[in-house]
């Protein structure tokens, strides 16, 4: 539980902070006045002023925010340096910068991993890299780092042996697994889950990972390529969701927090990879043309650029309310789905 909470706080905090920093830095570069840039939410713990901006550290470490003067046209104390007084193009850049930084973060993370640690490949040894919480292996007491010695008396010498052996397990059949932990040999009984989709028994484990360090140039090229490929797959997956909403499997904050905790069992590097994937996801979602999201704000600015004037305050109010209502409904649905999964799975 502690690992799950710490991992979730780290991932959510990093992604939101990077997103807000994107808005912040572009607001500064386009000449807007930023009154505060905060790390975290809630009561201030520390603060310092640099020029016109207050930089603060707050009590709840979940991301951060920045206070750009003039976001509300009816309350603009910054004059021509307020957001609402800047050209449409400048405001577009600021709005898109949050998602843009979410797209840049994975490149930075992948580059750092590839250049310092290396590219991960499944290790051939039958050593558990991750044991999924709540799954059969976890319930039987297996942990990351355990070395599998035998399954039902058959000697296991590599990971391929392990997966091939589990493929032969029939539905509702239990298996005896002998493993080594801290130089001690232990045996346990595991009741695999039979996956109809995979047509074989699964116990909820993944192999350990070995890393091969890359040169600076190769690491950067691979980081950009990897980010582009994942981004393309996510966009295609989102399109499929809109085509067949009934088949969509979505997770809310609770589900994502659980996944973060599970990934963190394998170490900090897998958690950084997970953060990179989630950052791309956050960037895509934020660009959807939904009022209250950055994509919705961008559409409003696009309308202003085409028509030569912004939407009326009344029209803007109604679109924002509709967007907030839609987001609240979606949050309710995915959170309910998360709770059901936690209780019944």
């Amino acid at each position: 539980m502690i690992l799950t909470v710490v991992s979730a706080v780290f991932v959510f905090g990093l992604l939101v902070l990077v997103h807000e920093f994107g808005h912040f830095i572009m607001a500064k570069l386009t000449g807007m006045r930023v009154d505060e840039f905060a790390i975290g939410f809630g009561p201030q713990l520390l603060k310092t002023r640099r020029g016109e901006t207050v930089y603060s550290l707050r009590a709840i470490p979940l991301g951060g925010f920045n206070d750009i003067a003039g976001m509300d046209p009816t309350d603009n104390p910054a004059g021509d340096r307020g957001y609402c007084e800047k050209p449409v193009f400048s405001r577009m850049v600021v709005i898109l910068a949050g998602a843009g930084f979410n797209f840049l973060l994975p490149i930075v993370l992948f580059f750092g991993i590839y250049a310092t640690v290396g590219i991960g490949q499944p290790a051939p040894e039958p050593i558990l890299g991750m044991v999924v919480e709540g799954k059969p292996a976890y319930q039987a007491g297996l942990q990351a780092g355990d070395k599998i010695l035998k399954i039902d008396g058959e000697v296991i010498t590599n990971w391929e042996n392990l997966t091939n052996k589990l493929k032969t397990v029939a539905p509702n059949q239990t298996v005896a697994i002998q493993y080594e932990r801290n130089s001690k040999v232990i045996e346990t009984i595991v009741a695999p889950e039979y996956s109809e989709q995979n047509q074989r028994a699964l116990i909820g484990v993944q192999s350990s990972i070995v890393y091969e360090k890359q040169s600076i140039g190769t690491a950067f090229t691979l980081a950009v390529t990897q980010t582009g490929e994942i981004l393309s797959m996510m966009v295609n997956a989102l399109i499929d969701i809109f085509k067949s909403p009934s088949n969509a499997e979505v997770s809310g904050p609770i589900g994502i927090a659980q996944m973060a905790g599970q990934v963190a069992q394998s170490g900090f590097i897998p958690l950084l990879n997970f953060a990179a994937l989630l950052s791309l996801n956050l960037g895509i979602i934020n660009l959807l043309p939904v009022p209250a999201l950055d994509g919705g704000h961008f559409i409003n600015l696009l309308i202003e650029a085409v028509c030569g004037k912004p939407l009326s305050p009344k029209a803007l109010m109604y679109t924002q309310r509709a967007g907030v209502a839609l987001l609240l409904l979606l949050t309710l649905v995915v959170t309910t789905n998360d709770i059901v999964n936690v209780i019944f799975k």
Side-chain angles (χ1 to χ4, degrees), residues 55-107:
Y55 298 87
S56 64
L57 178 66
R58 295 178 176 253
I60 304 173
L62 288 175
F65 66 90
N66 60 94
D67 181 10
I68 303 174
M71 291 295 291
D72 181 357
T74 64
D75 180 20
N76 175 28
D80 61 359
R81 295 193 59 216
Y83 171 87
C84 59
E85 294 296 324
K86 290 296 180 179
V88 174
F89 179 75
S90 296
R91 284 178 278 154
M92 285 180 171
V93 169
V94 172
I95 289 298
L96 295 179
F101 269 57
N102 282 131
F103 294 143
L104 288 175
L105 177 62
I107 296 177

XYZ file of all heavy atoms in Angstrom, residues 55-107:
397
model
N 7.397 31.859 -6.184
C 7.609 30.419 -6.359
C 7.354 29.763 -5.006
O 8.001 30.115 -4.015
C 9.029 30.131 -6.840
C 9.337 30.749 -8.186
C 9.807 32.059 -8.277
C 9.138 30.036 -9.365
C 10.070 32.643 -9.508
C 9.402 30.610 -10.607
C 9.869 31.914 -10.665
O 10.129 32.482 -11.887
N 6.405 28.825 -4.976
C 6.000 28.258 -3.686
C 6.023 26.736 -3.693
O 5.881 26.099 -4.737
C 4.593 28.749 -3.314
O 3.623 28.281 -4.241
N 6.219 26.178 -2.511
C 6.115 24.744 -2.272
C 4.931 24.535 -1.362
O 4.850 25.130 -0.276
C 7.393 24.212 -1.615
C 7.409 22.726 -1.256
C 7.355 21.868 -2.524
C 8.651 22.369 -0.448
N 3.983 23.677 -1.797
C 2.743 23.497 -1.043
C 2.632 22.091 -0.465
O 3.406 21.195 -0.799
C 1.544 23.847 -1.921
C 1.546 25.336 -2.284
C 0.421 25.737 -3.192
N 0.421 27.186 -3.419
C -0.459 28.031 -2.897
N -1.422 27.576 -2.122
N -0.377 29.331 -3.153
N 1.649 21.907 0.398
C 1.586 20.726 1.251
C 1.232 19.432 0.518
O 1.684 18.355 0.896
C 0.587 20.962 2.381
N 0.399 19.523 -0.513
C -0.064 18.308 -1.199
C 0.771 18.114 -2.462
O 0.636 18.878 -3.419
C -1.563 18.414 -1.551
C -2.383 18.689 -0.291
C -2.043 17.124 -2.219
C -3.844 18.963 -0.560
N 1.651 17.100 -2.479
C 2.630 16.955 -3.584
C 2.063 16.291 -4.830
O 2.582 15.296 -5.323
C 3.712 16.085 -2.946
C 2.949 15.200 -2.008
C 1.834 16.051 -1.466
N 0.982 16.844 -5.352
C 0.373 16.279 -6.562
C 0.417 17.303 -7.689
O -0.580 17.941 -8.015
C -1.070 15.827 -6.289
C -1.227 14.575 -5.426
C -2.693 14.322 -5.126
C -0.615 13.360 -6.126
N 1.607 17.465 -8.269
C 1.728 18.362 -9.414
C 1.991 19.789 -9.004
O 2.894 20.069 -8.222
N 1.196 20.712 -9.520
C 1.393 22.119 -9.240
C 0.481 22.969 -10.104
O -0.406 22.451 -10.791
N 0.677 24.273 -10.066
C -0.140 25.169 -10.878
C 0.615 26.479 -11.067
O 1.608 26.757 -10.384
C -1.494 25.447 -10.210
C -1.405 26.215 -8.926
C -1.445 27.609 -8.920
C -1.278 25.559 -7.706
C -1.361 28.328 -7.738
C -1.187 26.256 -6.514
C -1.231 27.646 -6.526
N 0.174 27.282 -12.056
C 0.715 28.629 -12.170
C -0.431 29.611 -12.384
O -1.425 29.286 -13.026
C 1.765 28.715 -13.276
C 1.237 28.347 -14.644
O 0.830 29.208 -15.411
N 1.247 27.070 -14.974
N -0.264 30.773 -11.786
C -1.295 31.807 -11.816
C -0.887 32.874 -12.826
O -0.067 33.743 -12.535
C -1.441 32.407 -10.415
C -2.521 33.482 -10.351
O -3.278 33.613 -11.338
O -2.602 34.186 -9.328
N -1.448 32.755 -14.032
C -1.155 33.718 -15.102
C -2.177 34.847 -15.020
O -3.383 34.605 -15.067
C -1.209 33.046 -16.487
C -0.224 31.867 -16.554
C -0.901 34.056 -17.581
C -0.321 31.064 -17.837
N -1.704 36.059 -14.884
C -2.600 37.218 -14.753
C -3.443 37.396 -16.015
O -2.959 37.192 -17.131
C -1.784 38.480 -14.483
N -4.709 37.738 -15.809
C -5.568 38.072 -16.937
C -6.199 36.895 -17.637
O -6.703 37.041 -18.757
N -6.210 35.723 -17.018
C -6.906 34.582 -17.627
C -8.396 34.873 -17.724
O -9.066 34.435 -18.648
C -6.664 33.303 -16.812
C -5.246 32.776 -16.857
S -4.731 32.216 -18.499
C -5.738 30.750 -18.709
N -8.904 35.632 -16.755
C -10.298 36.099 -16.787
C -10.299 37.536 -17.313
O -9.767 38.437 -16.660
C -10.894 36.040 -15.373
C -12.353 36.487 -15.343
O -12.884 36.903 -16.402
O -12.962 36.439 -14.252
N -10.897 37.766 -18.493
C -10.884 39.114 -19.080
C -11.501 40.171 -18.182
O -11.174 41.358 -18.299
C -11.697 38.945 -20.374
C -11.636 37.487 -20.678
C -11.590 36.797 -19.354
N -12.405 39.755 -17.273
C -13.058 40.724 -16.384
C -12.202 41.049 -15.168
O -12.567 41.901 -14.362
C -14.432 40.185 -15.925
O -14.233 38.988 -15.145
C -15.312 39.869 -17.111
N -11.090 40.355 -15.012
C -10.205 40.590 -13.864
C -8.756 40.506 -14.340
O -8.108 39.473 -14.210
C -10.491 39.563 -12.765
C -9.602 39.774 -11.548
O -9.066 40.887 -11.382
O -9.421 38.817 -10.774
N -8.290 41.605 -14.923
C -6.945 41.624 -15.493
C -6.125 42.745 -14.864
O -6.143 43.886 -15.347
C -7.003 41.811 -17.011
C -5.613 41.948 -17.618
O -4.641 41.428 -17.077
N -5.515 42.666 -18.726
N -5.386 42.435 -13.781
C -4.589 43.478 -13.114
C -3.263 43.764 -13.813
O -2.522 44.653 -13.389
C -4.346 42.869 -11.727
C -4.300 41.384 -11.981
C -5.300 41.136 -13.085
N -2.948 43.017 -14.882
C -1.638 43.141 -15.522
C -1.646 44.021 -16.766
O -0.623 44.135 -17.450
C -1.107 41.749 -15.870
N -2.779 44.596 -17.122
C -2.830 45.465 -18.295
C -2.487 44.717 -19.573
O -2.996 43.608 -19.813
N -1.598 45.293 -20.377
C -1.270 44.661 -21.662
C -0.381 43.421 -21.508
O -0.066 42.764 -22.496
C -0.618 45.667 -22.608
C 0.693 46.221 -22.049
O 1.095 45.840 -20.930
O 1.324 47.045 -22.746
N 0.015 43.120 -20.259
C 0.776 41.893 -20.018
C -0.123 40.758 -19.530
O 0.354 39.669 -19.218
C 1.896 42.133 -19.007
C 2.968 43.121 -19.521
C 4.193 43.104 -18.646
N 4.753 41.767 -18.610
C 5.311 41.238 -17.515
N 5.332 41.920 -16.382
N 5.827 40.030 -17.560
N -1.415 41.013 -19.472
C -2.348 39.971 -19.092
C -2.595 38.997 -20.236
O -2.500 39.357 -21.419
N -2.952 37.773 -19.904
C -3.216 36.736 -20.900
C -4.240 37.199 -21.923
O -4.051 37.039 -23.137
C -3.692 35.475 -20.187
C -4.204 34.382 -21.098
C -3.344 33.441 -21.643
C -5.569 34.271 -21.402
C -3.802 32.430 -22.483
C -6.044 33.276 -22.235
C -5.162 32.359 -22.775
O -5.626 31.373 -23.603
N -5.324 37.798 -21.435
C -6.434 38.169 -22.324
C -6.069 39.282 -23.307
O -6.747 39.459 -24.320
C -7.652 38.584 -21.507
S -7.329 39.988 -20.401
N -4.992 40.031 -23.034
C -4.607 41.135 -23.901
C -3.560 40.743 -24.946
O -3.239 41.534 -25.833
C -4.052 42.294 -23.052
C -5.078 42.943 -22.144
C -6.200 43.604 -22.945
O -5.909 44.148 -24.032
O -7.359 43.565 -22.487
N -3.038 39.541 -24.844
C -2.008 39.107 -25.770
C -2.617 38.638 -27.093
O -3.789 38.238 -27.142
C -1.183 37.974 -25.144
C -0.290 38.426 -23.998
C 0.767 39.400 -24.475
C 1.666 39.875 -23.347
N 2.696 40.814 -23.829
N -1.855 38.667 -28.188
C -2.372 38.186 -29.476
C -2.844 36.731 -29.380
O -2.368 35.964 -28.544
C -1.151 38.302 -30.399
C -0.280 39.331 -29.763
C -0.477 39.177 -28.294
N -3.768 36.370 -30.255
C -4.321 35.011 -30.248
C -3.226 33.956 -30.374
O -3.243 32.943 -29.678
C -5.352 34.844 -31.391
C -5.807 33.383 -31.479
C -6.549 35.746 -31.158
N -2.247 34.224 -31.244
C -1.183 33.234 -31.445
C -0.410 32.986 -30.148
O -0.091 31.834 -29.823
C -0.230 33.695 -32.539
C 0.907 32.742 -32.788
C 0.694 31.555 -33.482
C 2.180 33.013 -32.288
C 1.739 30.655 -33.689
C 3.224 32.127 -32.496
C 3.002 30.943 -33.198
N -0.108 34.030 -29.400
C 0.608 33.879 -28.134
C -0.200 33.039 -27.147
O 0.341 32.173 -26.455
C 0.911 35.254 -27.525
O 1.780 35.990 -28.354
N -1.503 33.301 -27.100
C -2.356 32.526 -26.190
C -2.445 31.065 -26.630
O -2.483 30.151 -25.797
C -3.747 33.155 -26.127
C -3.789 34.427 -25.268
C -5.153 35.060 -25.258
N -5.368 35.899 -26.448
C -6.555 36.170 -26.961
N -7.656 35.642 -26.424
N -6.666 36.948 -28.019
N -2.476 30.817 -27.938
C -2.484 29.439 -28.447
C -1.222 28.691 -28.011
O -1.284 27.530 -27.571
C -2.570 29.440 -29.977
C -3.925 29.771 -30.545
S -3.889 29.723 -32.376
C -5.625 29.884 -32.763
N -0.091 29.382 -28.136
C 1.190 28.763 -27.764
C 1.181 28.381 -26.289
O 1.615 27.285 -25.907
C 2.359 29.721 -28.074
C 3.653 29.217 -27.443
C 2.540 29.874 -29.581
N 0.682 29.272 -25.442
C 0.644 29.002 -23.998
C -0.283 27.827 -23.700
O 0.055 26.946 -22.893
C 0.185 30.267 -23.229
C -0.058 29.934 -21.756
C 1.231 31.363 -23.362
N -1.444 27.796 -24.338
C -2.405 26.722 -24.096
C -1.857 25.368 -24.532
O -1.996 24.355 -23.839
C -3.742 27.022 -24.820
C -4.468 28.171 -24.130
C -4.630 25.781 -24.869
C -4.853 27.899 -22.688
N -1.193 25.331 -25.693
C -0.684 24.061 -26.227
C 0.596 23.594 -25.533
O 0.966 22.426 -25.647
C -0.425 24.187 -27.729
C -1.650 24.420 -28.618
C -1.215 24.558 -30.073
C -2.647 23.270 -28.473
N 1.253 24.508 -24.816
C 2.551 24.183 -24.225
C 2.450 23.105 -23.152
O 3.394 22.322 -22.974
C 3.185 25.443 -23.641
N 1.336 23.042 -22.430
C 1.190 22.019 -21.396
C 1.275 20.623 -21.986
O 2.082 19.785 -21.564
N 0.439 20.365 -23.004
C 0.467 19.067 -23.674
C 1.805 18.857 -24.382
O 2.345 17.747 -24.409
C -0.678 18.962 -24.680
N 2.351 19.949 -24.943
C 3.632 19.838 -25.632
C 4.732 19.345 -24.710
O 5.545 18.488 -25.087
N 4.764 19.843 -23.488
C 5.767 19.389 -22.524
C 5.508 17.951 -22.088
O 6.446 17.218 -21.763
C 5.817 20.330 -21.321
C 6.813 21.450 -21.489
C 6.723 22.313 -22.583
C 7.823 21.660 -20.582
C 7.638 23.343 -22.766
C 8.747 22.681 -20.749
C 8.654 23.525 -21.841
N 4.230 17.545 -22.063
C 3.925 16.138 -21.772
C 4.445 15.226 -22.873
O 4.796 14.068 -22.620
C 2.419 15.932 -21.595
C 1.926 16.375 -20.239
O 0.943 17.095 -20.127
N 2.611 15.964 -19.178
N 4.496 15.732 -24.108
C 5.060 14.943 -25.215
C 6.590 14.945 -25.172
O 7.226 13.990 -25.618
C 4.583 15.497 -26.557
C 3.100 15.358 -26.799
C 2.386 16.343 -27.461
C 2.424 14.240 -26.358
C 1.021 16.213 -27.676
C 1.050 14.100 -26.558
C 0.350 15.089 -27.218
N 7.186 16.014 -24.649
C 8.640 16.082 -24.546
C 9.183 15.247 -23.393
O 10.294 14.706 -23.482
C 9.084 17.540 -24.358
C 8.963 18.464 -25.573
C 9.333 19.891 -25.183
C 9.864 17.977 -26.702
N 8.424 15.141 -22.311
C 8.897 14.409 -21.133
C 9.320 12.980 -21.447
O 10.390 12.542 -21.004
C 7.824 14.435 -20.027
C 8.176 13.645 -18.765
C 9.415 14.208 -18.082
C 6.993 13.624 -17.792
N 8.520 12.196 -22.207
C 8.947 10.826 -22.514
C 10.279 10.776 -23.262
O 11.082 9.862 -23.025
C 7.803 10.282 -23.383
C 6.628 11.094 -22.993
C 7.161 12.456 -22.703
N 10.509 11.744 -24.155
C 11.794 11.772 -24.868
C 12.938 11.951 -23.874
O 13.961 11.259 -23.940
C 11.810 12.900 -25.913
C 10.761 12.644 -26.995
C 13.201 13.037 -26.547
C 10.648 13.752 -28.035
